Every structure is written in structure tokens, then in C-alpha cells.
Amino acid sequence: MSGTENVRRRRNILAASVAAGVLLAGGGGVYLAVAATAGGEATASGADSKAADAAAPPPPLRLGGDSGGPGIAPGEPDPGGGPNGTVYTSKGPLPPGPSSAAVHRPEGLVTSAEVTGLAEALGIEGRPVLVGDVWTIRPEKDGQGPRLDVAKAAPGSWTYSWYDGGPVGDSCLKGKACPPPGEAKPSRGGSPVSEAAAKAAAVPVLKAIGQDDAKVTATQVMDGSVRVVNADPVVGGLPTHGWSTGLRIGPDGRAVSGSGTLKEPVKGDTYPVVGAEKALAELNEESKGTGPIGIGGCATDPPAGVDGNGKDDPAGVDGNGKDDPAGVDGNGKDDPTAPCQSIAELAPPTEVPVTAAVFGLAAQDVAGERLLVPAWLFTADPVDTAPYTVTQTAVAPEHLAPSEKPSPPDEGTAPARQIESYRTAEDGRKLTVTFWGGVCSTYTAKAVETPEKVTVRIDEKSDPGRACIAIAKEITLTVALQSPLGDRAVVDAASGQAVPRR
């Protein structure tokens, strides 16, 4: 989730319209299923269900990436458990859930009035101006002050930050070019506000974007003094995962940065869905692991005539000086060479208890579009780490289209990565972008300039034959622009969305 530096969601999301809970036998956890909502999206029976059955079948969903398997928030443990996989277990019955539920998709365009309402809630003065495909309210003159950018197209992704500008006063007025806004305003220290105070500070913003019924947490603290508020909205009466609003509240109780979406997704096609038990089985099937990572492995046999210490080892002689026919063990029986197994192959999968299951909506890429898809939100509670949420698509498998195989990359070039943020230098002619990438890949950045925006694409090249640990690191690249960035928006070529300045 961009703009909030990979917001973590550690606890399960509960809808306001929870119908029933089943206490786990001996486990103490509660499994929850959501009943009929005001819009009738998730209902086990009734007129809406009958109408859905009578209607023509909806088009199959083609989920991006894998086939709609386990989903998890950035920064959470791998739901697949790495090389050895993960087994998610429950100690009690799981809820059947509704019989059908609708996908929700972003539609429409963000208006100037909607941007103004969000700006007022953030305490920003000024009139929104449309720059290309982005509504923006930014500081004037030296670039010092708050800035708000909102994508015009739904879902209306927005970012808010406060910036300290460059030269001020006479240094700008006497002809020296004033640079564009600089780095994000650093924390001035102090103690973070309480969780209650941070949540209260977020209320006006959440109300302005129609998310005042969101599930709100404020446990995270950054830089020792900034408290992070995460809000997972309720859409169509269902809790969501992966559609969060994030706000950072400074020691003075005011928001210093934030991001989210301004347009609420609307109801789309309705699909039959599976219960939590089947969804958990599918989650485990897709969490079997990746196998050994290709580092280390089994030792190779020493050269003929040489023992493991590099000394001569006469062929056909055992440790007692007697003949030792090849292929025969100590009992005189055939001893075929056993297949080599690494430590990773011998280790059992990681077993993680599941303490809650909630029916809701999870963000998924569907045919290149970001939608909210019916899903089961499972709370995983491992012994050695904090609980986290892992999702599994609930749409019945027969309504999922096979994933399209991506076109083979040219000469090892991998798909572009989404850019997290950018900053400028040298009067706006140097554009530095930040993103997450692999430790064994090399990356290049390319910029395409127009009068309205600068589109940046990240290209990745990797060596398919090289063994590498799947660890992500933050990467920064700089590209030279033909003209100063000025008021132009920076757009990520992979997603088509505006990139926040940091």
C-alpha cells in the first residue's frame, strides 16, 4: 500500500453487522460469519439469493498473479512459509458463510468538491488544481507547507505530506530559481500522542472520505514520536483487507502525512462463494512452500581415489584393508545411492494456528483492475510472532478463470516494480525514485516527459540461473530530466498512479 510505508495489519477485521460466533473447542478463539447487509451483498438465503440464482451467471474472474491464493499485507510473514510451507490449523468448526457475495469495483471521477472536503479535514487551505490526471493543492513560492495529491480516476488514490522548501525570501525574489518542494518534514521529536488521541485526530479525515465506520488501529509508532493510524473501511457492509487509509499523527496531534482512496467501490457482479472450511483447505494447498531456495545443498562425492580429507583412498579397499566391492553395503547387499536431501527438504512445514475467520472483501488484481473480491480473512496466530491476517479468495473455483501466463520477458527483464516515492534535486532536473526490489537483481529507471507529467518505469534484470535468497531491499535510482519537474505530476508506469513526494 503506497504512501504509508507498507502499513501492517496485525489483527483481524470485524464487520459491524456480525451475525453469529462459534467458540472454538478448547481454543478460546471465535469464528465469525457476516449476515445479510443493507445492500444484500452477503446473504445465505432470501430474495436476494434467489434473484442471484435466477440471473445469468456472472463472467469468470481472472485474478492477477497466482490463482487468487493466499494474500497478505506487505511486511507480514510469507503465507507460504518459505521453502517448507505452512499448514494453517483450526481446533473447532469453521462457519459456512453466505452463499453468494458481490465484487466491488472503483468507478467514476473525483470532483473538485470532494478534494476540497478532504483538504479541509486535513487543515489544508487552497483550491484544487487539475494537473494532468491528478488534483493537487500544493504550497506556493518556496514550496514550504502541506501538499495534497488526488488521482482523478477512481478509486481516487490520495497522498498528503508536509514539506520544508528550499530558499526563501529574497533568495527567491531576486531571480534565483526556487526549487520544488523538498524532503518530507522530519519529526521534531517529542512523545507520541496516545492511541485514543491519534484516533480522534483521524475522525474528521475518515468522515470526509466516507470511512467513519472503518476498523481503526493506532498501535504503531514511527521515529519515536509519530503515531500511525490505520483504518480498514467497511464496504457494502463487509470488512476489507488491503484497502486501508493511513495517517501519521505528530506529537502536536495533527496529521503530518497520509494516504488512502477517496472513491468508495460500488457493487458489481455477484458470485457463489465457499465456506471457511473449504477456503482454509485451499489456503493450505497453496501454502505448501517453494522448496529449497538453492543455497547450500548436498556435498558432492570426492574424486576417485581420494577420500573426504583429500588423501589417497585405494579403490576397492575398506577401512580394514579388505576389499569393498562397489555397490555392496556391509551386509553384502546392494546399496543403491539414496537421493540427496537438503536440510530444507527434511524440515517439516510450519504449523500456524488460525484463531478467527471473518468473511469480507480483499483487494485483488482482476484483469488488470484493482477490485475488492469476496474472501475469507483468517487470523493466523503463530507462537513466536504477533498475529497477522492472511486472506483466501472465497469465490467458487468454477467461477475463476485460469490465470494468463505472462509473456516471456526479454533477456531476463522482469516486470516493472511500483515506485513508492520520489524526491528532486538540482532545481528539479534530477528525479530520484525509491522502490522495493530483490538483492540479486539490477534495476534501471527511465522517464518519459510530457507538459503535464513525468512517467517513470523501473526495469529489472536478473540471472535465472543464479541462486538467490528472496529478500527485498529498498532501492533508490536517479534519472535526469530534460526540464525541471516543476508542477508536473510523477506517475508510476506500472500502476498508472501518481507517486507521492517524500
Side-chain angles (χ1 to χ4, degrees), residues 47-58 100 270:
D48 289 338
S49 178
K50 294 178 181 178
D53 293 338
S100 63
T270 298

Side-chain angles (χ1 to χ4, degrees), residues 361-433:
L361 301 170
Q364 284 270 3
D365 289 325
V366 180
E369 184 182 9
R370 195 70 169 170
L371 306 183
L372 285 172
V373 177
W376 282 97
L377 316 180
F378 295 105
T379 299
D381 194 3
V383 175
D384 53 350
T385 60
Y388 59 91
T389 298
V390 60
T391 70
Q392 177 65 30
T393 300
V395 176
E398 59 269 23
H399 290 273
L400 298 177
S403 298
E404 290 182 337
K405 293 184 179 180
S407 301
D410 295 333
E411 299 179 356
T413 301
R417 300 251 178 177
Q418 184 172 2
I419 301 169
E420 296 288 335
S421 62
Y422 78 91
R423 64 179 184 269
T424 57
E426 297 184 13
D427 294 338
R429 293 182 180 273
K430 293 290 186 181
L431 180 66
T432 299
V433 296

Side-chain angles (χ1 to χ4, degrees), residues 67-277:
S67 59
I72 203 162
E76 299 287 9
D78 178 6
N84 305 311
T86 298
V87 176
Y88 294 96
T89 60
S90 63
K91 298 181 180 179
L94 295 172
S99 62
S100 63
V103 301
H104 287 69
R105 56 175 15 96
E107 289 184 1
L109 299 175
V110 175
T111 65
S112 174
E114 290 172 321
V115 178
T116 300
L118 173 59
E120 291 176 350
L122 289 166
I124 303 176
E125 297 180 354
R127 183 176 61 88
V129 177
L130 191 60
V131 181
D133 297 326
V134 177
W135 289 105
T136 183
I137 302 177
R138 61 186 64 182
E140 299 178 356
K141 296 182 180 180
D142 60 7
Q144 186 175 24
R147 171 169 172 167
L148 175 65
D149 292 299
V150 184
K152 181 180 179 181
S157 299
W158 60 269
T159 57
Y160 160 69
S161 293
W162 182 286
Y163 305 96
D164 283 330
V168 296
D170 289 345
S171 60
C172 280
L173 297 177
K174 292 180 179 180
K176 184 176 181 179
C178 294
E183 299 294 329
K185 188 174 184 179
S187 172
R188 296 182 178 178
S191 301
V193 298
S194 66
E195 291 186 34
K199 291 179 180 179
V203 167
V205 177
L206 296 178
K207 186 175 182 179
I209 61 178
Q211 296 182 7
D212 45 330
D213 58 352
K215 177 68 176 181
V216 180
T217 60
T219 57
Q220 183 183 2
V221 174
M222 299 185 65
D223 302 326
S225 61
V226 178
R227 188 168 292 279
V228 180
V229 177
N230 297 324
D232 292 290
V234 175
V235 175
L238 295 174
T240 61
H241 183 84
W243 207 268
S244 297
T245 295
L247 290 169
R248 296 182 188 176
I249 309 299
D252 59 357
R254 294 186 297 179
V256 296
S257 65
S259 65
T261 56
L262 195 50
K263 283 287 191 182
E264 179 176 342
V266 299
K267 181 181 176 182
D269 292 315
T270 298
Y271 291 84
V273 295
V274 300
E277 183 175 355

